[in-house]
Amino acid sequence: MSNINVKTGSVTGTGAAINVSIGFLPVYVRVMNVTDADTVDEWFSTMANGTSITTAAAVATRATNGISSYAGSSTAGQGFTIGSGISESAKVLAYLAIGAGPGND
């Protein structure tokens, strides 16, 4: 597979959902609370928007307020949304997003 898009970075949680513009729609997103190192959430494009697999205390599925794809807007590029269930106020959230580039299915 060629033309793979990969983006890493971090945002500071607000307690509310955060749209992260990365310039492509991801097929996989991993978000980790690096301030407390207590949660990792993962989302695959085959999962419903707003869900994620989380490893808070034990591996579980987040049914709402997880991770979603974000189609972008007139002022922001495509990317993903970190839901309010993950976005702890004032916590640093590191992310890894992978997307299939043009010509990949």
Side-chain angles (χ1 to χ4, degrees), residues 39-89:
T39 57
V40 175
D41 279 74
E42 295 179 280
W43 176 85
F44 296 84
S45 60
T46 55
M47 296 169 65
N49 278 331
T51 64
S52 62
I53 307 247
T54 185
T55 55
V59 176
T61 300
R62 216 181 269 280
T64 60
N65 301 316
I67 299 170
S68 303
S69 62
Y70 174 63
S73 68
S74 61
T75 59
Q78 296 175 323
F80 62 95
T81 300
I82 299 172
S84 60
I86 302 168
S87 177
E88 268 187 86
S89 187

